[in-house]
Structures are given as C-alpha cells and as structure tokens.
Amino acid sequence: MDDFVNAFLNWDIVREASPILWRGLWQTLLLSVMVVPLGLIGGVMLALLSTVPIRSVRLLAAGWVDLFRAIPPLVLLVFLYAGLPFAGLDIGAWGAVAVGFFLNTGAYYGEVLRAGIGSVSPGQTEAARSTGLTQAQTMTHVVLPQAVRNVMPDLISNTVEVVKLTSIASVVALPELLFQARQAQNVTYNASPIVAAAVAYFLLLWPLVRLMSRLENKAMAGRG
C-alpha cells in the first residue's frame, strides 16, 4: 500500500508540481472558454442550414456534419497545424485549435440542435408566422429557445466531452493541464501529477455532470 501511495498519491510531488499544474489548468479553462462557444456557433449554423427548404443546402449541411464527425479530431488538429503550412497557410497553434474544434464540435452540436428543432411542433411555427413574425424571427424567438430547452441534457453532455477533448491541444504544443501533468511525470518519474490532473478535471466537470443528470431526471419525470 505504501508503494501505491508513493507512486500515485504523493502529495509532496504534487505540491512541487503545482505551479505548472495551475498553469495547465488555466490554459485548459482558456481553451474551453474559446472552443465551446465556437462549437455552439458552428452547431447553430449547421442546424439552421438543415432546416432550409432548398434540398441541396440540406444535403450539403448533412455531408458536412458526417464528414467532420467521421474525421478523428486529433488527425484534424494535426493536419491544420502541421499540414496547412505546406500550402502556405500557417494559422498557428491557437488558430488550429479554434478551427479544428469549430469544425468537429460544431458538427456534433449541430446534430443535437437539429434534433431539438425537429422536436418543436410545426404548429408553433405556424402560430408564430400567423402573428406577423418573419421566418428568421420565428426561428430566433420561438423555435430555437424551445429546441435548446428540449435537448439541454444532450448539449451539456456534449460540452463535457468538448472540455475533456481540449487535452488533445497538447499535440500542437499548447500546454494544457494534461500536457503539464505529463511533463511533471517525466521529470519526477511519478504518476501523482497525472492523478492530480484527473482530480482537477473531475472538480471542473462534476457540476455539469450533476446538472445534466438533474435535467435528464426532470425530463423523464415529465414524460411519466
């Protein structure tokens, strides 16, 4: 037991590594604040495109979603960071993360929001249009708020996955939390910094997980 504690729960090593772990946590928070809104913006755009009456536009949106849900985000990130410079376009590490998450997570958010829009009764749209609202006003003020409410647990679940996915930013030399924990592990030859990073992720995401469970239970009770 002592060997286990020394190898995985060594507080002295965690304390020594805490400066770079804090920097990594701050970087993870910055990444999350950037990529979650970008994914939501991309998702709203794709969800709206999937509702237009022009079939070719709907097919294009569906193909876009399928493409970027199928491509592994790690491969996409490496391509944007290391591949684009060969084409004369160097967007840097932050640019690669921003574009990569916009494309990948936007596709997932888009599917969730599309399902939410589909769950709103057509009668709601007809009633809103009959009051004189335009199509854009109806979508903005009537359909989207109900759609978001209907799929809120799925949106929160997807957001949790997005925050965890920020760990892949280390492949483009962005020192987020897991990257810094691995650096500390390499220096100390001890896994305690990795455990500390896992605890930090848990504390960061646990409120969202609890909120998601609460919303899911509330939705199930409403159907019952």
Side-chain angles (χ1 to χ4, degrees):
M1 187 64 182
D2 290 341
D3 290 340
F4 174 83
V5 171
N6 184 63
F8 293 96
L9 303 173
N10 193 315
W11 172 248
D12 291 333
I13 288 179
V14 172
R15 185 175 55 194
E16 291 176 5
S18 60
I20 67 170
L21 293 177
W22 278 114
R23 288 198 295 270
L25 178 60
W26 176 244
Q27 193 86 313
T28 293
L29 292 173
L30 288 178
L31 285 169
S32 300
V33 169
M34 179 183 72
V35 301
V36 170
L38 282 174
L40 285 169
I41 291 170
V44 170
M45 292 170 54
L46 289 168
L48 293 178
L49 288 174
S50 69
T51 65
V52 301
I54 304 174
R55 185 170 182 270
S56 59
V57 174
R58 295 199 307 272
L59 290 175
L60 180 62
W64 184 276
V65 168
D66 289 345
L67 174 64
F68 288 106
R69 289 178 71 189
I71 296 177
L74 183 61
V75 173
L76 178 61
L77 196 58
V78 170
F79 170 77
L80 291 170
Y81 180 71
L84 287 184
F86 287 97
L89 184 60
D90 187 357
I91 59 177
W94 281 95
V97 171
V99 174
F101 274 78
F102 174 79
L103 296 174
N104 180 262
T105 63
Y108 284 94
Y109 277 121
E111 277 297 277
V112 172
L113 290 169
R114 183 186 64 80
I117 291 173
S119 70
V120 178
S121 169
Q124 297 282 337
T125 300
E126 295 170 4
R129 294 302 302 275
S130 68
T131 65
L133 294 179
T134 65
Q135 183 68 31
Q137 290 172 329
T138 298
M139 180 62 69
T140 301
H141 300 294
V142 178
V143 177
L144 271 180
Q146 295 184 68
V148 170
R149 184 171 62 249
N150 292 343
V151 296
M152 184 59 72
D154 296 312
L155 288 175
I156 295 175
S157 175
N158 201 66
T159 299
V160 170
E161 295 303 317
V162 170
V163 174
K164 290 191 290 186
L165 197 61
T166 57
S167 61
I168 70 172
S170 60
V171 303
V172 295
L174 283 181
E176 45 71 51
L177 178 58
L178 190 59
F179 175 86
Q180 296 285 38
R182 289 201 302 266
Q183 292 291 97
Q185 181 189 25
N186 291 336
V187 172
T188 61
Y189 301 100
N190 189 284
S192 297
I194 299 293
V195 175
V199 172
Y201 272 112
F202 171 77
L203 295 175
L204 178 65
L205 296 174
W206 180 75
L208 286 177
V209 172
R210 291 306 308 152
L211 177 60
M212 179 178 63
S213 298
R214 183 174 181 179
L215 291 173
E216 288 175 341
N217 292 335
K218 185 177 179 180
M220 291 177 62
R223 297 191 190 103

